[in-house]
Amino acid sequence: MAKVVEMNNDGFVEGEEYYCPECKRNHTKGKIYKDHLKYILNGVPSEDEQITAEFEDANEEYDTLELEDESYGNDDGSEDDINEDGIDEQEINDEDIDESIIDDRDSCINDVKSLPGVGEATLTKLIKSGFNSLEAIAYTPPSIIINESGLGEKTTAKLIKASMEKLKIGFKSAEDVWEHRKNIARITTGSPELDEILGGGVETGSIIEFFGEFRTGKTQIMHQLCVNVQLPKELGGLEGNALYIDTEGTFRPERIIQMAESLDLDAKKVLKNIIFGRAYNSDHQIILVKEAANLIKERNIKLIIVDSLIGHFRSEYIGRGTLANRQQTINQHIHDLLRLADIHSDLAVIVTNQVQAKPDVFYGNPLQAAGGNVVAHGSTIRIYLRKGKGVQRVAKIVDAPNLPEGEAVFSITEEGIKEG
Ligand code: ADP
Ligand code: MG
């Protein structure tokens, strides 16, 4: 482990190294936020990761973090640009981003500029360290902003408060809530029956949880939604991109290709529009969600997926702390997701969750998803999946504020999620 360098906000020198407690490595000031995730995902594996290394190696070609802009740099240049399938890893540069997205990025920066007390010097520090939107400032723990940008504690606290106010994080009137709900849109699942019980597809502006046993189709539905969100609105899409946080190593680009081709879409383009992050442990998962806040507008993200939500927390917290401790961390994580859905009424946030076939002390009945009450209360709409005959699966709405309880049968086919 390299030498730990003391932090000194006043004596901020770009390029100076300091120890980052989040990913437990040294970072370089001024550029660390950009490198942060790369260090985590490509850095020295922790003991936990070494245990699962065999499993991850099998999926190596999919384990590239796609959250980085090309300007984020690549220290050693050793990452392969082409994977085994010959599919270009997604390098997103300005030429690939359409003008409206660049406009959005500029407007994000202008929002930051308009915060009280932000002059050119502060703005430069913020932008350089990757805090280029109100969301990025509001959602990042102060200690990280301080470390990354070199700004002082008081300034950081003020910036976070002002960003939260501008984003209306806190109380709002019922009229504001109605304004928010009016913008809610839906993404088709591919199954008309499933769409129907969901009120016309999965809706934006809330957390939707698909839970069920192993092989009930959770991951398949997540893949399908990544494709469908890109469809034109008249075909049930949102003309937007997807961000996929994979905690289990089960994302398969080849499935995306099959599904895209069956809809006559350009598969390569569809893959390019899915930003992928592999979360190796619960800490990575939490950071990826926080980082996602930066990308929503910039990359036209209309769908965020966490597949699966609780897995890491469950396995890690066994020897790491009390159940209460774990639930509190999960609670915070879910609230990060809820805030995203709250702020972006045109963004769908979808999570998957496991159920225990053999209920243990924490998970009372077979219909109970992992994570207990915290998860149940955090997600707005919950769908329980179970196996039917052959390729058929049954979905049941378990808990939704404005949907009747209902069941739908759908099929998992080579072409994706289809009618049952
Ligand atoms: P979960 O995430 O709930 O554990 P999955 O979403 O991985 O489950 O679903 C697994 C199911 O999807 C399996 O029953 C498998 O048969 C089906 N499946 C996976 N790939 C294909 C494919 N290419 N063609 C048809 N069915 C598939
Ligand atoms: Mg799965």
Side-chain angles (χ1 to χ4, degrees):
M1 182 62 77
K3 187 169 87 163
V4 174
V5 177
E6 276 292 316
M7 254 283 297
N8 178 354
N9 291 331
D10 297 324
F12 172 67
V13 182
E14 198 184 331
E16 185 185 342
E17 280 194 348
Y18 79 97
Y19 180 71
C20 171
E22 287 253 312
C23 64
K24 301 172 187 67
R25 290 175 65 84
N26 275 15
H27 280 306
T28 307
K29 284 187 182 180
K31 87 186 257 258
I32 95 101
Y33 205 71
K34 297 160 186 170
D35 285 349
H36 193 58
L37 297 168
K38 194 176 78 187
Y39 272 88
I40 287 173
L41 297 187
N42 300 331
V44 181
S46 68
E47 278 174 28
D48 284 352
E49 288 161 16
Q50 278 164 1
I51 292 165
T52 54
E54 206 178 306
F55 171 61
E56 279 154 9
D57 282 347
N59 297 297
E60 205 168 36
E61 67 266 41
Y62 312 131
D63 284 348
T64 310
L65 176 74
E66 305 292 6
L67 296 176
E68 296 165 2
D69 197 283
E70 57 159 15
S71 64
Y72 289 5
N74 183 357
D75 287 348
D76 55 16
S78 63
E79 281 172 29
D80 291 338
D81 283 344
I82 310 253
N83 67 18
E84 271 179 18
D85 297 319
I87 299 160
D88 286 358
E89 298 288 9
Q90 299 169 31
E91 278 231 341
I92 303 169
N93 51 43
D94 281 357
E95 286 159 35
D96 296 329
I97 303 174
D98 77 36
E99 276 177 20
S100 64
I101 297 172
I102 291 172
D103 283 351
D104 276 348
R105 182 152 71 191
D106 290 346
S107 93
C108 288
I109 292 174
N110 282 333
D111 287 345
V112 175
K113 212 171 168 178
S114 71
L115 290 172
V118 174
E120 279 303 322
T122 305
L123 185 68
T124 308
K125 282 183 179 178
L126 286 167
I127 304 293
K128 261 190 169 173
S129 45
F131 301 105
N132 51 9
S133 69
L134 296 180
E135 286 86 352
I137 297 167
Y139 290 136
T140 309
S143 60
I144 293 195
I145 301 187
I146 293 166
N147 285 346
E148 303 303 309
S149 65
L151 291 169
E153 221 172 278
K154 277 189 185 162
T155 312
T156 303
K158 270 190 208 156
L159 287 173
I160 291 175
K161 188 165 176 273
S163 301
M164 288 177 86
E165 276 166 10
K166 285 207 168 199
L167 291 170
K168 293 191 177 166
I169 299 172
F171 282 116
K172 51 188 164 188
S173 73
E175 195 184 4
D176 286 340
V177 179
W178 172 232
E179 276 305 313
H180 179 84
R181 285 208 61 85
K182 275 203 293 202
N183 293 327
I184 284 168
R186 291 191 153 78
I187 309 167
T188 178
T189 60
S191 150
E193 232 180 273
L194 181 53
D195 283 355
E196 197 181 320
I197 64 163
L198 287 165
V202 289
E203 68 175 40
T204 61
S206 353
I207 296 193
I208 305 201
E209 176 190 347
F210 284 86
F211 69 105
E213 279 177 51
F214 183 56
R215 292 175 78 89
T216 48
K218 301 181 294 293
T219 298
Q220 296 300 312
I221 294 176
M222 298 309 111
H223 280 66
Q224 187 72 59
L225 289 169
C226 283
V227 176
N228 291 2
V229 70
Q230 302 182 37
L231 288 168
K233 290 187 177 155
E234 59 275 17
L235 294 177
L238 297 178
E239 290 161 23
N241 300 331
L243 190 148
Y244 200 111
I245 298 176
D246 180 12
T247 75
E248 297 182 335
T250 51
F251 179 75
R252 293 291 176 274
E254 50 270 52
R255 274 304 270 154
I256 298 289
I257 294 171
Q258 284 176 332
M259 291 171 177
E261 285 177 348
S262 98
L263 293 170
D264 284 332
L265 298 172
D266 176 347
K268 209 172 163 185
K269 229 173 167 177
V270 170
L271 281 176
K272 224 179 164 86
N273 292 335
I274 301 170
I275 299 176
F276 175 74
R278 172 80 163 91
Y280 289 91
N281 59 43
S282 63
D283 293 328
H284 299 168
Q285 189 177 329
I286 289 166
I287 289 172
L288 285 171
V289 166
K290 289 186 192 297
E291 176 70 2
N294 292 336
L295 298 165
I296 294 168
K297 276 195 182 163
E298 202 175 301
R299 300 279 162 83
N300 193 27
I301 305 295
K302 299 283 166 125
L303 169 67
I304 292 186
I305 283 169
V306 183
D307 182 24
S308 69
L309 184 68
I310 302 299
H312 281 318
F313 293 92
R314 255 168 83 177
S315 53
E316 286 170 25
Y317 275 74
I318 288 169
R320 191 166 143 176
T322 62
L323 183 64
N325 207 337
R326 180 188 83 171
Q327 293 302 86
Q328 198 179 354
T329 313
I330 294 174
N331 190 23
Q332 280 166 2
H333 182 51
I334 291 171
H335 276 85
D336 284 345
L337 288 165
L338 263 176
R339 270 199 298 274
L340 293 182
D342 236 12
I343 291 170
H344 304 280
S345 52
D346 57 349
L347 173 75
V349 177
I350 312 207
V351 302
T352 67
N353 202 353
Q354 306 141 345
V355 287
Q356 290 255 333
K358 199 172 132 226
D360 62 18
V361 61
F362 305 129
Y363 317 108
N365 69 59
L367 258 186
Q368 183 106 36
N373 286 339
V374 173
V375 179
H377 293 155
S379 19
T380 334
I381 298 174
R382 315 182 67 221
I383 300 125
Y384 175 66
L385 298 175
R386 64 172 199 269
K387 285 184 191 162
K389 270 191 196 159
V391 299
Q392 286 186 332
R393 298 289 183 274
V394 184
K396 181 180 165 67
I397 306 274
V398 169
D399 197 358
N402 59 338
L403 293 173
E405 291 206 348
E407 278 199 351
V409 178
F410 65 92
S411 298
I412 308 174
T413 73
E414 182 94 20
E415 285 77 37
I417 304 298
K418 301 286 171 199
E419 58 198 326

